[in-house]
Amino acid sequence: LHFSAAANLRPGAEQKVVFITARVHPGETPSSFVCQGIIDFLVSHHPIAKVLRDHLVFKIAPMLNPDGVYLGNYRCSLLGFDLNRHWANPSPWAHPTLHGVKELIIDMYNNPKINLEFYIDIHAHSTMMNGFMYGNIFEDEERFQRQAVFPKLLCQNAEDFSYSSTSFNRDAVKAGTGRRFLGGLLNDTSYCYTLEVSFYSYILGGAAAAVPYTEEAYMKLGRNVARTFLDYYRLNSLVEGPLAPTPKTR
């Protein structure tokens, strides 16, 4: 899916691309609901969505493992591969979706007219609560600090997102994931994250009881992910009309 064709951008404007993928693990169904929330918001008539379409290019691959989903697999593809461990060298035969997405990302990375600024891979987590992110560890302290900006902003927009559960790591077992591989490939102006959301529930600040997630709550998190780009790029002043909460966004 491609939102904000280059025609929407100002003539000659640099294409700032946000690339989002989801459902690489077929059993992680909340991933699809979060992604659906992002998509529905970006194509809506909401004034924030219009500003985002005018300034950014969103490319979304909503299902990286369609054969695994069709078969009802929990983690693997038709051929039994955990696709999220094969980003480094995907086979066009054994891992065709990864191969295609990686080729597209590398083509954009090599295009001087495109700045691939964000890669977000959406997953669901079976033991943690709330939404949270995984990021990468860099030797450059400034780059490491800049990477923390987006999840901190998301935490302000989404009551179910936990910055305290967000972590930055370089675990060897995660080396073949999209977040880790692309974090090492792209330049220091690109930020790569895994967005995780609990299968079960979230706990609001100061509350003792967990709130069970619903399909609507997952989609709401997706909408809040999308609108966080407004804060990140400081586009708030361009939104027409009041920024009062709507029934579908916080």
Side-chain angles (χ1 to χ4, degrees):
L1 301 177
H2 177 111
F3 300 117
S4 178
N8 283 19
L9 306 177
R10 298 184 307 280
E14 179 185 47
Q15 290 190 44
K16 295 180 178 179
V17 173
V18 175
F19 205 108
I20 297 171
T21 57
R23 207 67 183 276
V24 71
H25 291 141
E28 297 176 6
T29 51
S31 164
S32 285
F33 292 116
V34 174
C35 192
Q36 187 70 50
I38 294 173
I39 294 169
D40 288 348
F41 184 78
L42 289 176
V43 300
S44 73
H45 296 295
H46 196 287
I48 291 177
K50 181 181 185 305
V51 170
L52 292 175
R53 292 194 301 266
D54 287 345
H55 289 82
L56 301 169
V57 176
F58 290 85
K59 291 184 180 288
I60 303 177
M63 189 173 286
L64 287 180
N65 196 342
D67 49 338
V69 169
Y70 176 79
L71 291 168
N73 292 352
Y74 179 70
R75 196 166 180 88
C76 295
S77 65
L78 169 65
L79 296 180
F81 290 107
D82 180 343
L83 296 181
N84 204 36
R85 296 297 183 269
H86 290 276
W87 276 91
N89 190 26
S91 159
W93 177 79
H95 326 106
T97 53
L98 286 198
H99 184 269
V101 167
K102 181 181 173 182
E103 291 279 294
L104 177 58
I105 288 175
I106 290 176
D107 286 346
M108 288 191 297
Y109 177 62
N110 291 328
N111 186 334
K113 296 181 179 178
I114 295 176
N115 192 10
L116 180 56
E117 304 213 330
F118 281 90
Y119 171 75
I120 299 176
D121 189 28
I122 308 173
H123 287 249
H125 205 284
S126 59
T127 58
M128 301 277 284
M129 288 196 278
N130 293 69
F132 58 95
M133 280 179 152
Y134 292 129
N136 295 311
I137 290 178
F138 303 106
E139 303 301 331
D140 181 350
E141 179 65 22
E142 182 189 353
R143 185 182 184 189
F144 183 74
Q145 294 296 334
R146 290 200 312 267
Q147 183 189 214
V149 172
F150 187 86
K152 286 181 178 177
L153 292 173
L154 178 55
C155 190
Q156 295 174 11
N157 285 333
E159 61 186 3
D160 58 318
F161 184 84
S162 169
Y163 185 77
S164 63
S165 294
T166 293
S167 66
F168 304 92
N169 62 65
R170 54 161 65 121
D171 297 348
V173 71
K174 303 284 190 180
T177 65
R179 181 259 307 180
R180 279 288 305 280
F181 175 75
L182 294 173
L185 172 71
L186 305 177
N187 62 32
D188 62 2
T189 60
S190 302
Y191 303 102
C192 300
Y193 306 95
T194 299
L195 173 62
E196 297 272 4
V197 63
S198 173
F199 273 102
Y200 171 57
S201 65
Y202 58 94
I203 296 181
L204 301 178
V211 181
Y213 265 113
T214 61
E215 294 176 10
E216 171 56 31
Y218 287 131
M219 289 189 281
K220 182 179 178 182
L221 176 59
R223 292 191 290 270
N224 284 326
V225 168
R227 65 185 295 150
T228 298
F229 287 103
L230 187 84
D231 301 325
Y232 183 85
Y233 288 103
R234 299 179 180 176
L235 299 171
N236 305 68
S237 61
L238 301 177
V239 178
E240 296 177 5
L243 268 183
T246 66
K248 288 203 168 187
T249 52
R250 183 162 172 254

